[in-house]
Amino acid sequence: MSGITQSTALWYASRATGVVTLVLLTLVVLLGIVVNRQGRLPGLPRFAVTGLHRSISLLAVAFLAIHVITAIADQYVTIQLIAAVVPFASSYEPFQIGLGAVALDLIAALIVTSLLRARIGRRLWRGVHWLAYVSYPVAVLHSVTSAKDLQSGGLLVLTLVCVLAVAAAVCYRIAAARSAGGPASPGGPLDAGIYRTAADHHSARWPATGGDGQDTVPAAVLAGDRPAPRNGAGR
């Protein structure tokens, strides 16, 4: 390998951001499953986990945007702008680039519905977010088929680790849902903008102050993000 030059900088940038996006999407899917099933990670309250999920989702979107822009701007091959959003419209590797366009469109649908969640309703939002389980494998197929780097060596190992981790998490989610007697709802990658802040989270569940002006949220609840006792104990 001759190294990065002015003529290959965009190619390397596209490849690198593609790999980073795949890793970030994997983390988003895994956190989505944890947030919806367990509600927290060991040592972290729920709002911290959802905040982490949101932050990684936004970071994944940023790297995905850079990946698409650098791929289009790279003059080594010709990928039209329309080919990035219209599946299988590319004159260069139409199948591989088409898979990327499908994944991009699905992720865009997840983002838009997350931003409009308050207006479209939870039922429609949940229905659209089943696409989360479709967008991830499509993105993986796009990565493996379009980038020979991911077909061998360390990047292949990294890809396999990502896929196996998501597969194990989904299997756990299905098994846990069946044992609980309920359906498994999608964890939903890229739920950008839908999570409440810590203050919103608590104010929605408990009044900020009581009638005497005192804080009615127990300190232990604020620290551990546990539901308030229904019998009034601890107030």
Side-chain angles (χ1 to χ4, degrees), residues 161-219:
V161 169
C162 290
V163 172
L164 291 176
V166 170
V170 171
C171 290
Y172 161 75
R173 179 67 174 273
I174 293 174
R178 287 180 176 177
S179 64
S185 60
L190 305 174
D191 296 347
I194 68 171
Y195 294 118
R196 293 173 292 185
T197 63
D200 294 336
H201 175 72
H202 290 293
S203 63
R205 292 163 61 182
W206 301 284
T209 58
D212 57 356
Q214 299 297 317
D215 188 359
T216 60
V217 182

Side-chain angles (χ1 to χ4, degrees), residues 11-172:
W11 184 90
Y12 279 110
S14 177
R15 284 291 192 269
T17 52
V19 173
V20 173
T21 301
L22 178 62
V23 173
L24 290 174
L25 287 177
T26 301
L27 293 176
V28 169
V29 173
L30 293 175
L31 279 174
I33 294 174
V34 170
V35 166
N36 283 271
R37 187 68 204 171
Q38 297 294 339
R40 65 178 65 193
L41 291 176
L44 290 177
R46 181 182 176 88
F47 69 82
V49 179
T50 55
L52 180 63
H53 185 204
R54 179 180 58 186
S55 298
I56 298 179
S57 298
L58 294 174
L59 190 61
V61 171
F63 273 93
L64 177 61
I66 298 173
H67 172 65
V68 173
I69 292 172
T70 52
I72 294 173
D74 186 11
Q75 297 299 312
Y76 182 74
V77 296
T78 301
I79 300 177
Q80 303 91 343
L81 176 60
I82 192 174
V85 293
V86 178
F88 313 110
S90 175
S91 57
Y92 170 76
E93 295 188 345
F95 177 73
Q96 295 92 323
I97 303 302
L99 289 174
V102 171
L104 179 63
D105 292 343
L106 293 175
I107 291 173
L110 297 174
I111 296 172
V112 171
T113 52
S114 290
L115 295 175
L116 298 177
R117 183 182 180 185
R119 296 188 177 185
I120 65 177
R122 181 172 176 81
R123 178 175 296 181
L124 178 58
W125 174 83
R126 285 170 64 92
V128 173
H129 272 65
W130 280 102
L131 295 176
Y133 293 110
V134 179
S135 62
Y136 183 78
V138 172
V140 172
L141 284 175
H142 161 71
S143 301
V144 174
T145 58
S146 63
K148 294 182 179 179
D149 320 54
L150 272 66
Q151 298 175 7
S152 62
L155 290 180
L156 174 60
V157 174
L158 176 63
T159 303
L160 290 175
V161 169
C162 290
V163 172
L164 291 176
V166 170
V170 171
C171 290
Y172 161 75

